[in-house]
Structures are given as structure tokens and as C-alpha cells.
Amino acid sequence: MAGRIRDVDIALVRERSPIAEVIGEHIQLRNAGGGNLKGLCPFHDEKSPSFNVTPERGMYFCFGCSEGGDVITFVEKIEHLSFGEAVERLAQRAGIQLQYEQGGYVPKRDQGERARLVEAHRAAAEFYAEKLLSPDAAPGRRFLSERGFERADAEAFGVGYAPAEWEALARHLMGRGFTAAELVKGGLAKEGRRGPIDRFRGRLVWPIRDATGDVIGFGARKLLDSDDGPKYLNTPDSPLYKKSQVLYGIDLAKREISKRSQAVIVEGYTDVMACHLAGVPTAVATCGTSFGEEHIKILRRFLLDQAEFRGEVIFTFDGDAAGQKAALRAFADEQKFVTQTYVAVQPDGLDPCDLRVKQGDAAVRDLIASREPLFQFAIRSTISRYDLRSNEGKIAALDAAAPIVAGIKDVGLRKRYAIDLDRWLGFMDERFVMQRIAEVGGAQQQQGRPRRAPQAAPVDPNVRVEAELLKLAVQRPALLGPRFDALDPQAFTAPDHVVLHKLIAAAGGAAAAGHGGREWVDRLLEHALDEAGRALVTRFAVEGIQADAHVEERYGVAMLAAIEAIAVDRAIAQVKSRIQRLNPVEEQQEYNRLFGELVALEQQRRVLRDRAAGS
């Protein structure tokens, strides 16, 4: 049984695993000011980025779904690993050999399930790539050559060959220490009567990698007429591979997708290769399934599409009926992107791979450049099915296209396409066309009227002051020191703030925190009694302070003064309440005493407010 990873090794893994780099392998991060980075959360679907990363303290937090933690927590959650498996994965990435208590170093056979399956797939990819050079793989090499790919291209994309034998891969991997159960669970083999048999045989094989570059599955194309299986065969869903969440080529394309704010969706592995080699390095493809919502989520994290309506997603489809049908399916998901969405269709029906073979690299680039908006394509494809020479045909085409136009959420864009539709149909009667579309839109709304999102409650200014002061206490404790620790616990009113103030006190207070940083945050996390407390510390360690770095010291003084002034406000209210209950004639001595106390409190409040205004 594996021992416990030494604390010193866990600390070393954290130190050598820069959180921005690790998270940046999964989503695009952009500067959010104050040393923070921001991106679209990988743990929930969102329109605008609320996922914050603070490299200085090695923490992340999403203000949309409240997921947060350090680099190990992130890998645990994004890869669905245990804590130990996440540490091992990061250690491997950083080149660290872990030591285990209660038994020393644990060899690879004792690592977690996911790590074992990833290693098996890596070994399988190497095996297939080596076999592509064998005499038996001649049909595979010929297939690639006929499509314009050279040996170096095959090596760059890891293309390989699965021998036409029952157990070639299974025998090889079991000889390297992997079990039959692991091969079957990972989708590399199937159960046979005498043990595992290879899933792919006599086929050209493409390794499918996740965004971090790990091989998680394979796509295989048949080469021989004697193969009675499907043209393409993919790895089945497994602990590593979920076809609805996989995009072939994302490991190669992700940086260019982020850099260019562009993603090109093609239909096959050879199309991805052709696009990349032709100078379109943003191309990716689905693997044995149609493009869907999970694929959109992957792309949005790298596109970082927001309300600016910039960037573009370009679908390439064959010009035939099947290609048009696929484009119309994509239209149904179009408005889940904020980016502009296009379709690029080659009139002669050539896909990017065939186009590159027949017309060269420039033709592939021209195809992508000739894209047309997806709305336009969807509308024109729909009306092309009708005879527009007759009024009956025009009305039928209008009724068929109206739901598409009515479904466009942007009012201005909907109006422009209504005008275009009128022109394409030849009515020359915009009012009539718009009325027809409005009737369809009204019916659609009645069938499934979307709920209005609840309005956010206004934030109490006093609660905002509490939050800012606590952020400083977690992130910049040296700016507050003993004065913060001397605050009355009742100065904090929001339940979360009360909990966090107690945590800070339990950890020794701001005065004992020194300059803060990661060590202080870790100390606070140690004193948190549950996950809610840990999430609270993480959130306040990551959330940006509402002041520039060069004025943080003044800001800290101002926030302390502001919260002290709030406490004085409460004291003034209490004294006024007591005065109002007194008879100034019969209880003159007590009345005068309280009045003097009130005057002193009012003066103290003025001083504190002046100090608070100094921010």
C-alpha cells in the first residue's frame, strides 16, 4: 500500500508548479490588474470571466461558483483526481521524484488509476508510431502520402499504425507491467475468450490528446477492404476519454486560438493536419460525435469570449446536403458563443485535406478567409430548398426561415437579417416580412418564455468596508497590524465576515502575520475548521483590493478609520436612543452625562471620517 507523501515534497511540488502556468494549460488567463489574472471558469458555464488567479499567493477562486484553492486543488478538480494523484501528476510535470513515508519511494505501479491509464496510452502511442515504419504499414503510409502528408508530418501529429494482429498492443503493454483490466478499462483492448484483444487492428491511428498534451484516446481509420468495421473507429468513453468533451488538435491549437481569438472547426483528423500545415493553426475537430455544448465550453475557455463580441468561430462543412444539415445543427448552439460565428463551405465540396492536395496551402487559407456569418448561411440554406419563382414558394420559404431570424437574440442583428431575408426572397416589403417574423417570435416566446434573472441586491456600504478591510488583513496584513487586532468583533456584521475575523484572530492576528504572503494564507487555512471556512479564506486571498498598489497603505488606514467610524455610528445611535427616553428635567444629571458622551462621539466620528476620506 502506498505511503503518505512527505510534507516537504508536497511543498516542493507547490513551489515548482506555478499556478498561472498550470491553469493556463486549461483556460486562457488575462491580466486583471493588481497582479491578478482572470479567465472563464472551467467548473461552470459563464458568459463573463469570474475565475480569478493570484500567482503571488498561489491561489485561485471563482466568484461565480465559489470553487477555489491552490494548484493541487485545481488539478484534483479539473482532472477528477485524489489529492495524492494530483500531487503525483504535478511532480511528474515538474520533474520531482516523490518520497513516501512508511515505505519509501513508490514505483509507478502503485500510482493512481488515471496516472496509470495516461501512462498506458502514452506507451500505446509510441508503439503505434513505431509500427508505422514497419513493412505491414505500407497501406497506411500510402494513405498519408496520397493526402499530401510526409513522414515528418506524421511524426509531428503522432500518427501510427495498429498491426493487423489480435494481441500485438496488449502483449506489448502487458509486458511493460500493465494489467489486462487496465487495458480494457482504458479502451485500448476488449475482452477476448483467452484474454484482452486489441481494439484497433490493421488501421491508421491518430492519438487524441487533452489540452495538456496527455494522450487519452485514439481515432483509427480502416485501410483494407477486408476490414468489415466502420470507416472510423474511436476509443469508447473511459475514465480518460469522453467524446462529447474532446476536441482533436486542441493541444496544438490552444495557444493560437487564444492569440488570434479564432477557432476553426473541421470534420476529421486529416483536415486538422491539413489546416495546421497550410497555415491555419487554430483548427480542431470533434471525435466521432457532432459538435455540441461541451465542445463550446472548451473553446470558450481559450477564446475568452466576452461581451465585446470579438473573436470568431468558423465551421467548415461540405457543400452537400449533409454538410448543410451539420451547419444548421451548429446554428442551434451559435448563441452560446459571444464571439461571431461563421461557416466556410467549399463550393465544389472538397474538405480542407482534399483541397490542400488539389489546390495547395493557399487554397485552404482562402477557404477560411471566405467564411460567411452562420446566421446568413442558415437562412440562405433554408430558403434555397424552395421555388422562389412563385408567391407560394416565397411564402413557404419565409415561414421556414422566420424561426431562424426570430431566434436571433440581438435586436439590431435580427432586424438587419429580416431586411436581408426580404431582399433574398424578392418581396420588397420589409414591413410584411418583419410582421411575419414577429408573429413567429411571439409564438416561440409563449412556448418557452425565459425567466428573467433576479436582480442583484445592492451591497450595503458598511458591508463593503468590512470586506475591503478583511481582504487587506488576508493579503496585506502588515498594513493593518495591531490596530486591526484591537477591533471589537462586533465591528463585523456579515456572517462570512464574522467567521473570517475569528479565523484571523485564531491564527494570531494581523500583527503576527508579518508581510503575509503564502505562509500567512496557509496558516489561515490550517485554522479553518471546514470546507466553507477554507473557501472563505481562498476567496479573500484572491479577490482584488479596490485600490492601486501605490496607495494601499493609505487605503488600509482609510478602511480601518471607516470601520471604526461605523462602530462609532452605532454607539451614537445607542446614546441618542437612551437620551430620547430620559426626562431632561427630572433626570438632568444622567441627561447631561449622556449629552457630553454624545458630543465626544460626534467629534470622534468627524476625525475618523476625515481619516477615511483620505483614501
Side-chain angles (χ1 to χ4, degrees), residues 30 257 260-263 303-306 308-314 337-342 371:
R30 288 187 178 157
I257 288 173
R260 303 186 185 202
S261 291
Q262 178 200 73
L303 286 164
L304 195 58
D305 61 340
Q306 299 178 52
E308 293 94 335
F309 205 64
R310 56 192 172 85
E312 54 188 29
V313 174
I314 304 168
F337 287 110
V338 182
T339 51
Q340 300 172 78
T341 314
Y342 298 87
R371 66 202 181 279

Side-chain angles (χ1 to χ4, degrees), residues 26 29 53 445 532:
H26 297 270
L29 295 171
V53 179
Q445 284 190 354

Side-chain angles (χ1 to χ4, degrees), residues 377-441:
F377 179 85
I379 296 167
R380 297 197 74 154
S381 295
T382 298
I383 65 176
S384 69
R385 301 197 298 264
Y386 297 88
D387 181 1
L388 303 183
R389 292 171 298 181
S390 67
N391 287 329
E392 290 81 0
K394 289 179 181 180
I395 290 292
L398 171 57
D399 287 347
I404 299 175
V405 181
I408 299 174
K409 294 177 183 176
D410 184 284
V411 176
L413 203 56
R414 185 164 66 240
K415 182 176 180 180
R416 293 309 310 170
Y417 276 111
I419 293 170
D420 285 341
L421 178 57
D422 173 55
R423 179 165 52 85
W424 294 331
L425 293 173
F427 279 117
M428 308 308 289
D429 188 344
E430 292 175 6
R431 182 175 295 179
F432 169 70
V433 170
M434 287 183 176
Q435 182 180 349
R436 200 88 167 191
I437 290 169
E439 289 171 0
V440 171

Side-chain angles (χ1 to χ4, degrees), residues 149 153-154 157 159 206 248 269-278:
F149 301 122
D153 303 329
F157 287 87
V159 184
W206 282 263
Y248 175 72
Y269 307 121
T270 56
D271 292 331
V272 171
M273 292 176 69
C275 284
H276 281 251
L277 295 170

